[in-house]
């Protein structure tokens, strides 16, 4: 099966580490492309390209502020990722419960020795 285009699928869009870094920076508030590029030590065209992808999948919104454009996080676009990862919650909880039981058994064994 062919992989979805990066610009149409949130999972593919956030697979790129620099895009995830942009999302982390935008959690603190709106920023211009220049600020993002400087913070991430990348070129402005590179940052713009990543922002365009994030905007197309609904993770980033933009607005005009004077002569510049400000970008902000639209976390509602992460809902499919949240729902998918949430499906693993029971697995991890059970794994941690088994680990905790194992540690408790080790403690009891050491006390008995």
């Amino acid at each position: 099966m062919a992989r979805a285009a990066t610009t149409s699928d949130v999972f593919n869009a956030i697979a790129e580490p620099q895009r995830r870094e942009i999302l982390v920076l935008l959690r603190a508030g709106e920023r211009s492309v220049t600020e993002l590029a400087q913070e991430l030590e990348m070129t402005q065209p590179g940052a713009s390209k990543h922002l365009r992808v994030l905007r197309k999948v609904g993770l980033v919104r933009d607005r005009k502020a004077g002569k510049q454009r400000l970008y902000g996080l639209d976390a509602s676009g992460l809902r499919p990722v949240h729902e998918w990862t949430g499906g693993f919650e029971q697995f991890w909880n059970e794994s941690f419960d088994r680990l905790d039981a194992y540690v408790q058994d080790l403690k009891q064994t050491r006390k008995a020795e």
Side-chain angles (χ1 to χ4, degrees):
M1 178 176 200
R3 187 171 149 170
T6 299
T7 56
S8 66
D9 178 69
V10 68
F11 290 93
N12 284 330
I14 64 170
E16 169 30 71
Q18 290 179 313
R19 290 191 196 117
R20 291 193 307 270
E21 289 181 42
I22 289 171
L23 295 175
V24 168
L25 290 172
L26 292 177
R27 282 191 311 200
E30 294 181 325
R31 295 190 185 212
S32 69
V33 68
T34 304
E35 291 173 302
L36 290 167
Q38 288 173 349
E39 185 80 28
L40 298 172
E41 297 179 351
M42 66 171 54
T43 64
Q44 187 172 342
S48 291
K49 184 177 178 181
H50 288 308
L51 286 165
R52 189 169 28 259
V53 170
L54 292 170
R55 195 173 62 240
K56 283 185 180 180
V57 298
L59 297 177
V60 168
R61 57 177 159 48
D62 64 322
R63 69 178 180 88
K64 199 109 164 120
K67 291 185 178 184
Q68 64 181 350
R69 188 166 296 279
L70 295 177
Y71 295 86
L73 178 64
D74 186 353
S76 65
L78 289 170
R79 184 173 307 280
V81 176
H82 175 72
E83 290 171 354
W84 184 79
T85 57
F88 293 94
E89 184 175 1
Q90 181 178 353
F91 168 80
W92 285 111
N93 287 338
E94 290 170 358
S95 296
F96 288 131
D97 289 345
R98 285 192 308 273
L99 179 61
D100 185 50
Y102 177 72
V103 169
Q104 296 305 318
D105 286 346
L106 284 176
K107 286 180 180 179
Q108 291 298 330
T109 302
R110 287 193 178 178
K111 282 183 183 179
E113 292 176 348

